[in-house]
Amino acid sequence: GQNIDQPTEMTATEGAIVQINCTYQTSGFNGLFWYQQHAGEAPTFLSYNVLDGLEEKGRFSSFLSRSKGYSYLLLKELQMKDSASYLCASAHNTDKLIFGTGTRLQVFP
Amino acid sequence: NAGVTQTPKFRVLKTGQSMTLLCAQDMNHEYMYWYRQDPGMGLRLIHYSVGEGTTAKGEVPDGYNVSRLKKQNFLLGLESAAPSQTSVYFCASSVSGSGSYNEQFFGPGTRLTVL
């Protein structure tokens, strides 16, 4: 199978910066998605990377290294509302996404 | 646009009962997916469809059937519910399965409990 790994839980303080890492299998790789999921709600799209480098979108940035099979999501100026699960999902030469189990981020005041 | 909608939002079944979950999307997307989400397991793909009239098995298809008679609708059926099917079910849709067009839009979920 095609495994995708990310940490289970992370904690951070309001106003801080946090980096959530994700590793995936490189075979047939065709893009990397990040989703945010608040408790009891549906996942919502955050970012998509297919080329190496950093994509910045306001307080959130996503980085990709295709050769290393590695991505991270960077959240700056953390707010309480950023407490959520963050799902990493890789696309390969199929019709499906492979989702990680998600990283539950808790932001404390 | 409503996006992706799911009915019902909640349901309690007894073991052996059957039910159908309905997913509808108004974005004219070709691809549709059914996932289940359990604590510690992440999103697992049950079945998916790459267009009207097509269906395919995902990672955990056993005990479920699907139909895509109309492009905008994707139905998930449980013929004989089991307690192991207690889960949150999400439907999603995407333009296609390629590159950025694989961005999936999710419905609000159906919380199913099987007693």
Side-chain angles (χ1 to χ4, degrees), chain A residues 30 33 35 37 40-43 45 48 87 94-97 99-101, chain B residues 31 33 35 37 43 45 48 50 90 97 99-100 102-104 106-107 111:
Chain A
N30 196 22
F33 292 84
Y35 285 83
Q37 185 178 23
E41 298 182 10
F45 171 80
Y48 171 74
L87 313 180
T94 66
D95 299 316
K96 300 165 281 188
L97 295 181
F99 281 89
T101 54
Chain B
Y31 285 45
Y33 310 82
Y35 293 92
Q37 188 174 42
L43 284 165
L45 184 65
Y48 65 103
V50 301
F90 286 104
S100 64
N102 206 345
E103 177 190 341
Q104 294 183 15
F106 286 82
R111 283 142 188 84

Side-chain angles (χ1 to χ4, degrees), chain A residues 36-56:
Chain A
Q36 181 189 59
Q37 185 178 23
H38 284 101
E41 298 182 10
T44 55
F45 171 80
L46 284 178
S47 67
Y48 171 74
N49 295 68
V50 67
L51 300 177
D52 286 351
L54 189 68
E55 297 269 350
E56 297 189 70

Side-chain angles (χ1 to χ4, degrees), chain A residues 71-91:
Chain A
S71 173
Y72 67 72
L73 181 69
L74 192 71
L75 292 74
K76 303 175 190 173
E77 300 169 16
L78 280 172
Q79 302 176 10
M80 297 297 291
K81 67 178 182 180
D82 297 329
S83 292
S85 289
Y86 292 87
L87 313 180
C88 174
S90 62

Side-chain angles (χ1 to χ4, degrees), chain B residues 3-101:
Chain B
V4 181
T5 58
Q6 292 181 231
T7 52
K9 288 187 168 52
F10 301 93
R11 187 72 187 267
V12 178
L13 289 179
K14 294 181 180 177
T15 297
Q17 288 185 318
S18 63
M19 77 164 294
T20 300
L21 283 68
L22 172 64
C23 176
Q25 53 96 3
D26 62 2
M27 296 175 283
N28 202 33
H29 286 173
E30 287 294 331
Y31 285 45
M32 296 187 75
Y33 310 82
W34 274 108
Y35 293 92
R36 61 178 289 174
Q37 188 174 42
D38 303 291
M41 302 290 288
L43 284 165
R44 293 185 291 169
L45 184 65
I46 304 170
H47 286 281
Y48 65 103
S49 167
V50 301
E52 181 179 313
T54 76
T55 62
K57 292 181 180 179
E59 181 186 355
V60 288
D62 293 344
Y64 305 95
N65 56 76
V66 287
S67 64
R68 184 105 180 263
L69 298 179
K70 293 183 179 181
K71 185 177 183 178
Q72 63 267 34
N73 295 338
F74 196 29
L75 279 65
L76 178 72
L78 286 73
E79 290 186 348
S80 179
S84 61
Q85 294 178 304
T86 293
S87 188
V88 179
Y89 292 85
F90 286 104
C91 176
S93 70
S94 64
V95 172
S96 76
S98 176
S100 64
Y101 294 114

Side-chain angles (χ1 to χ4, degrees), chain A residues 7-22:
Chain A
T8 303
E9 288 197 27
M10 299 183 72
T11 60
T13 306
E14 202 173 11
I17 299 173
V18 70
Q19 177 175 314
I20 303 174
N21 297 324
C22 171

